[in-house]
Each structure stands twice: as C-alpha cells, then as structure tokens.
C-alpha cells in the first residue's frame, strides 16, 4: 500500500491536518503515532480531538497509559512508552474494537497486539517548527481515508 507525505510548518498546521483527519474518523478507527520525543505526536492528538468535537484539553497520558475523552465519538488516547512488557495484555482490544477512535503514541512498542487494519503516522523533525508526516495505511478503509485527507489538504 502506498505511503502519503505531508509537511507542516508549525504546530498550528499540524493541528489543522489532524483536525481534518478527526472529522473523517469513525468508531473503531485506530491511529498509530510514531516519532521522537517532541516530534508532535501529542500535538497531533490535540488537533485530532478538535475534529472529534472534544471540548476538554487533551494532555499527554504518560502516567496513565490510557485517557478517555467524550466527543462526537469517544477518543481513547494511549501513550505506551512506559509499557514494560510488550506482550503484557492490558485489554487493548476492548479499545481497538470498541465504539471510539484509538490513538496510540509509540505504538510499535505493542506491535504484536495491534489490529491488522490501522493508520500509522510517522512524524519527523525537519527543523525547529517543520515536520514531515508520513502516513502509512493498512487496509482499504485507511487507504481511502489518506486519499480523502490529502485531496482536501491540497484543495484547501
Ligand atoms: P511528542 O508527543 O511527539 O513527544 P509533543 O506534541 O508533545 O511531541 O511536542 C511537540 C513540540 O514541538 C511542541 O512543543 C510543539 O509546539 C512543537 N512544534 C513545533 N513545530 C511543530 C509542528 N510543525 N508540528 C507539531 N509540533 C510542533
Ligand atoms: Mg507525546
């Protein structure tokens, strides 16, 4: 499956991209966020929350692993950086196949537990405020989602 590339010149642009994606998401969607510390994974999640009509401020769930937010559909925000054992089953499936959108920062750390169909987004530092975003869809649903997101982004 094809990869899709986007550029962001600042946090506001990342919010805007993520917000647009958020408006396109449905129940049971799973988004993986990968990238170094400070790449913008949590910033992206905040924008995505706007697109899900979440009113509460999304903060990093570092100490809780999973935080839930109510919106148009619920958001399950996970940061699995501190998961000790990658095989430890913390009941992730209930979220992945639940009635909300799941966003997972550092998802590769629980690689074996992830569903087959998902959208992985890699964020790369390109300077102080510049980021490269690579979208890697698995499954036709996410492929279509990427196409829709990029078309809208270009025509914007
Ligand atoms: P992570 O969750 O990947 O560790 P954060 O989203 O917490 O990263 O932090 C990203 C930091 O980089 C924030 O301080 C944000 O304001 C800053 N930043 C600068 N430019 C961008 C950009 N284009 N996209 C996202 N964040 C950016
Ligand atoms: Mg983070």
């Amino acid at each position: 499956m094809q990869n899709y590339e986007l550029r962001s010149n600042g946090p506001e642009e990342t919010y805007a991209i993520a917000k647009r994606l958020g408006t396109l998401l449905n129940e049971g969607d799973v988004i993986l966020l990968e990238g170094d510390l400070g790449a913008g994974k949590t910033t992206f999640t905040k924008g995505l929350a706007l697109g899900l009509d979440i009113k509460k401020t999304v903060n990093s769930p570092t100490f809780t692993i999973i935080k839930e937010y109510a919106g148009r559909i619920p958001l399950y925000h996970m940061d699995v950086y501190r998961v000790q054992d990658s095989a430890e089953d913390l009941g992730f499936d209930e979220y992945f196949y639940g009635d909300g959108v799941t966003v997972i920062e550092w998802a590769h750390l629980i690689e074996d537990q992830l569903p087959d169909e998902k959208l992985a987004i890699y964020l790369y530092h390109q300077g102080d405020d510049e980021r490269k975003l690579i979208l890697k869809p698995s499954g036709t649903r996410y492929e279509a989602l990427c196409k829709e997101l990029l078309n809208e982004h270009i025509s914007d």
Side-chain angles (χ1 to χ4, degrees), residues 8-11 14 36-43 105 128-129 131:
S8 164
N9 289 307
T14 298
D36 294 340
L37 211 63
K41 300 182 294 299
T42 300
T43 301
E105 298 190 33
D128 283 350
D129 289 336
R131 303 288 189 272

Side-chain angles (χ1 to χ4, degrees), residues 82-140:
R82 282 186 168 72
V83 170
Q84 301 288 332
D85 176 356
S86 63
E88 189 184 354
D89 187 352
L90 296 173
F92 295 119
D93 273 4
E94 276 187 47
Y95 294 94
F96 302 156
Y97 301 103
D99 55 6
V101 167
T102 307
V103 172
I104 314 156
E105 298 190 33
W106 304 101
H108 66 275
L109 295 174
I110 56 161
E111 202 166 26
D112 294 347
Q113 302 193 54
L114 297 171
D116 291 340
E117 305 222 339
K118 63 232 165 187
L119 173 60
I121 301 176
Y122 297 82
L123 295 109
Y124 297 97
H125 282 270
Q126 304 277 285
D128 283 350
D129 289 336
E130 266 179 66
R131 303 288 189 272
K132 182 167 78 177
L133 281 66
I134 304 285
L135 281 59
K136 200 176 164 198
S138 302
T140 50

